[in-house]
Structure formats: C-alpha cells, structure tokens
Amino acid sequence: MGEETQIQPQPQTLIGTEIEPQPQSQPQEASSNNTVAATAAGAIIPVESELSNVPPHINSPATKIPLRPRKIRKVSPDPTTTSESQSETPKSATSTAGKSCGRHSNKSVQQQRALIVPRIVARSLSCEGEVEIALRYLRNADPLLSPLIDIHQPPTFDNFHTPFLALTRSILYQQLAFKAGTSIYTRFIALCGGEAGVVPETVLALNPQQLRQIGVSGRKASYLHDLARKYQNGILSDSAIVNMDDKSLFTMLTMVNGIGSWSVHMFMIFSLHRPDVLPINDLGVRKGVQILYNLEDLPRPSQMDQLCEKWRPYRSVASWYMWRFVEAKGTPSSAVAVATGAGLQQHQLEQHQQQQQQQQHSQQQLMDPMNSMFNIGAACAWGQ
C-alpha cells in the first residue's frame, strides 16, 4: 500500500504538467490506461521508471496513439496501392496503345505508299471523250499499237439495248449466218410486239412450238426460257447486271444455259461498253496478239492476261484493234464482225460470212469449246 500511495501522485503531476491545456478527464483516462497497460503486461514496474525512461515530448501523443493507427490503416495502405495500380494501369495501357498505334501507323504508311502509285479508273466507253483518252493511253503504253491506231478509225460504242434484249439477241444469232439470224430475230421481235416487248414475262409466255414456227430451235428455246426464268426469279435483273463488277457479272451470266465466256465478253464490250475486257478465248484477239508481238505459236488463253497486261485499263479498245488487225491481214475471225459490224456494208458482211464458212472447220480446232458455238452471225448481232 505504501508503494501505491507513492506512485499515484507522481503520474498525476507529470501528466498534469504535460497536458495542462486539456481538461482533467483526459489525464485521468491516460493514467488509468497506463495502469491497465502495465497490469495487462503482467509486469510490476513502477510508473516512475516508465515515465523516467520515456522522453517528455513523447508523452503527450500517447493519448492520441490509439486513434491514429485506425486512420492510417484505413487510409494510407489502400490509397497507396490503388494509386500505384492506377499509375501502373495507364502506363500499361499507354504502352499497349502505343504498340497498337504503332502497328496501325505502319499499316497506314503501307497503305499510303500503295495509294501513291497512280491508277487510272476508266469510265464507260460510251462516255464522251473516253475513247480518245483510251487511244492516247494505249499509244504510250504499247508503241506497237500506234500504227494500228493511225490506220483504223476509232471504235464507236453508241448502241444501247437493255441487257435482257441484248442477251436474248445473242442467243438467237448463235450458229447462224447473219442474214438467217436477222430474219429469225425480226420474226421474234414481231411475235413479242416490238423490241420494247422483249421482257421475261413475254418470252416465258411463248411456248417451244411458237418459237419453232419462226425458226428457233428447241435448244435455243430452252436457252431463252432459262434466261427469262432467272430474271423472273430475281437471280438476274437489268439493274443488277449494269451495276455488277466484271468478275461477278461473268460468274452470273455463265450460269445461264447457252451463254458462254465468249458471249459474256462480247456483251460486256458492245452492250455495256465496259473498258477493260479481254476476250482471252477469242481466236481473233489471240491471233492479233501473236502477229503483233511476233510470237511463234498462238498464245494460249492462260497466257493472254500476262501478254496484254500493259493494255489495262483499256483492254476492250485494244482487243477491238486486234480484230481490225487480223481483218487487215486477211484472217477474219468470228469476232471481227462484232467489232466492225455496225460500220460494215452488207456486201462486206457477206464476204465475211463466206470466208468464215470456208475456215470454220480449221478454226474450230483452235477455238475454245465455248467459243466454237458462235459464228459470224452471232457476232454481227453484237455490233448492231
């Protein structure tokens, strides 16, 4: 008991001296806390020795120590980690974005380099001045064509038929002389009520017997009906044909029975006036390339694209000059009349027919199977 009476006054005087501005309840709480801390530790140490070992300036924060760790634990660790994670996240995102931007920038640079290469976009050959532009281009691209361009009159692309009418006309002229084909076509037009009446519904309404009475064979009647059904079913239409690119158009039209690759190429050149069509299966164009480039053998269809690459994007016009070139050499082909039929007189067409009949057997041995079904009559239909 003597020790207790001696110990109690000392902490009060010391604590009281340290915390004079604060209320008296706080020193009592602090003294009781010190006593509890000492008993909880299980050590019998006089408070005098505790307070003497601790520097005086540390005693005052002792009352606030239990409150600070709670705030520090809640605030300081989490924001540090979150700030670090937040600071790291933008770095990683920035680096990832930088890499992706680098990849995109490389691609864009490559695309820009590709776009730097000049590329001529040709218009329809029926556009005003486009044929003259094509001739100037071909003179510079292939000097061997310059003499041909000087000798022959420039081609004209001024005939306009609806795609359905043009395709129907091509089928009717197949494997016929020009005069016989014209006779059948005239009767067919009369049966339909004029060229304006040649529509899918009218053609489907004509049965094979009616067509046979005007000279159309049963096979050609089936070709006409197949074309009309594809129009009626929506597989083909005039607007779709006009807006299709060359590759898609070739694929779609060759699905029609009786229309082969040669017929599609003629349709694209002389009905749609497409500027960059190369009839690789046409014997006249292949023969013209052989003579023009002084080749030993007739070029195969698979070689034509490479040989005529310099003519892009006006291969249709260059092909027209190949037909005229072969015609001047006295070796007419079925496609010569296609290119010149609109400007030839009737007696010239008859001469072409006679020459074609004489050389038909020899030409069929060289021509592509699809091309061999066409003769001078079918070809003349395209030029008119």
Side-chain angles (χ1 to χ4, degrees), residues 149-265:
I149 296 173
D150 294 334
I151 294 172
H152 302 287
Q153 293 294 324
T156 57
F157 300 91
D158 53 2
N159 62 313
F160 295 95
H161 294 299
T162 63
F164 183 78
L165 176 61
L167 293 170
T168 302
R169 182 186 179 115
S170 71
I171 292 174
L172 290 173
Y173 271 86
Q174 288 176 12
Q175 297 178 327
L176 292 176
F178 178 75
K179 188 174 182 179
T182 302
S183 177
I184 293 175
Y185 179 73
T186 302
R187 291 195 293 267
F188 175 79
I189 293 301
L191 196 60
C192 294
E195 287 188 337
V198 182
V199 293
E201 293 75 15
T202 305
V203 174
L204 286 173
L206 300 175
N207 56 48
Q209 183 177 0
Q210 290 176 293
L211 293 172
R212 194 176 299 112
Q213 289 176 353
I214 62 172
V216 180
S217 65
R219 178 174 292 182
K220 285 187 180 181
S222 68
Y223 294 164
L224 294 173
H225 287 162
D226 185 60
L227 174 65
R229 277 193 298 269
K230 284 182 169 56
Y231 264 78
Q232 193 178 54
N233 296 334
I235 299 174
L236 293 173
S237 67
D238 284 350
S239 60
I241 287 175
V242 170
N243 294 318
M244 279 184 195
D245 60 90
D246 292 350
K247 186 175 181 181
S248 301
L249 182 60
F250 183 88
T251 302
M252 295 301 294
L253 289 183
T254 51
M255 293 171 57
V256 180
N257 295 334
I259 297 180
S261 62
W262 184 88
S263 184
V264 174
H265 287 150

Side-chain angles (χ1 to χ4, degrees), residues 59-71:
N59 290 332
S60 61
T63 58
K64 299 179 182 180
I65 288 175
L67 301 176
R68 288 180 181 175
R70 294 179 185 176
K71 295 180 181 179

Side-chain angles (χ1 to χ4, degrees), residues 79-100:
T80 305
T81 54
T82 53
S83 63
E84 290 176 358
S85 62
Q86 288 176 357
S87 62
E88 289 177 1
T89 304
K91 289 180 181 179
S92 60
T94 305
S95 60
T96 307
K99 292 179 182 178
S100 62

Side-chain angles (χ1 to χ4, degrees), residues 100-359:
S100 62
C101 289
R103 289 193 294 268
H104 288 302
S105 62
N106 292 335
K107 290 181 180 179
S108 63
V109 169
Q110 292 177 356
Q111 291 175 355
Q112 289 176 358
R113 289 177 180 174
L115 293 174
I116 291 174
V117 179
R119 181 181 178 183
I120 298 176
V121 179
R123 301 176 300 167
S124 171
L125 293 174
S126 58
C127 293
E128 185 178 357
E130 191 64 22
V131 173
E132 289 75 11
I133 295 173
L135 296 181
R136 287 197 300 268
Y137 178 85
L138 291 173
R139 286 179 185 273
N140 296 326
D142 191 352
L144 294 178
L145 289 177
S146 294
L148 300 179
I149 296 173
D150 294 334
I151 294 172
H152 302 287
Q153 293 294 324
T156 57
F157 300 91
D158 53 2
N159 62 313
F160 295 95
H161 294 299
T162 63
F164 183 78
L165 176 61
L167 293 170
T168 302
R169 182 186 179 115
S170 71
I171 292 174
L172 290 173
Y173 271 86
Q174 288 176 12
Q175 297 178 327
L176 292 176
F178 178 75
K179 188 174 182 179
T182 302
S183 177
I184 293 175
Y185 179 73
T186 302
R187 291 195 293 267
F188 175 79
I189 293 301
L191 196 60
C192 294
E195 287 188 337
V198 182
V199 293
E201 293 75 15
T202 305
V203 174
L204 286 173
L206 300 175
N207 56 48
Q209 183 177 0
Q210 290 176 293
L211 293 172
R212 194 176 299 112
Q213 289 176 353
I214 62 172
V216 180
S217 65
R219 178 174 292 182
K220 285 187 180 181
S222 68
Y223 294 164
L224 294 173
H225 287 162
D226 185 60
L227 174 65
R229 277 193 298 269
K230 284 182 169 56
Y231 264 78
Q232 193 178 54
N233 296 334
I235 299 174
L236 293 173
S237 67
D238 284 350
S239 60
I241 287 175
V242 170
N243 294 318
M244 279 184 195
D245 60 90
D246 292 350
K247 186 175 181 181
S248 301
L249 182 60
F250 183 88
T251 302
M252 295 301 294
L253 289 183
T254 51
M255 293 171 57
V256 180
N257 295 334
I259 297 180
S261 62
W262 184 88
S263 184
V264 174
H265 287 150
M266 298 302 105
F267 171 73
M268 292 167 68
I269 295 174
F270 296 103
S271 293
L272 299 183
H273 308 150
R274 298 286 176 93
D276 194 33
V277 180
L278 179 66
I280 59 174
N281 294 316
D282 185 84
L283 179 62
V285 178
R286 292 165 60 194
K287 187 67 178 177
V289 171
Q290 179 187 9
I291 301 173
L292 183 68
Y293 296 127
N294 196 21
L295 303 177
E296 294 183 1
D297 300 320
L298 188 71
R300 297 187 299 273
S302 58
Q303 297 174 319
M304 290 292 291
D305 279 322
Q306 183 177 0
L307 290 170
C308 305
E309 179 66 25
K310 62 180 70 174
W311 297 346
R312 289 181 184 269
Y314 294 107
R315 294 183 296 176
S316 299
V317 179
S319 298
W320 190 90
Y321 279 98
M322 290 300 98
W323 286 317
R324 300 304 301 269
F325 186 35
V326 172
E327 179 190 18
K329 294 290 183 180
T331 315
S333 67
S334 61
V336 173
V338 178
T340 59
L344 288 178
Q345 300 296 326
Q346 183 63 34
H347 70 276
Q348 291 176 306
L349 291 175
E350 292 176 356
Q351 290 178 0
H352 283 301
Q353 293 169 15
Q354 294 175 0
Q355 293 173 350
Q356 178 66 25
Q357 291 174 358
Q358 294 174 0
Q359 298 182 1

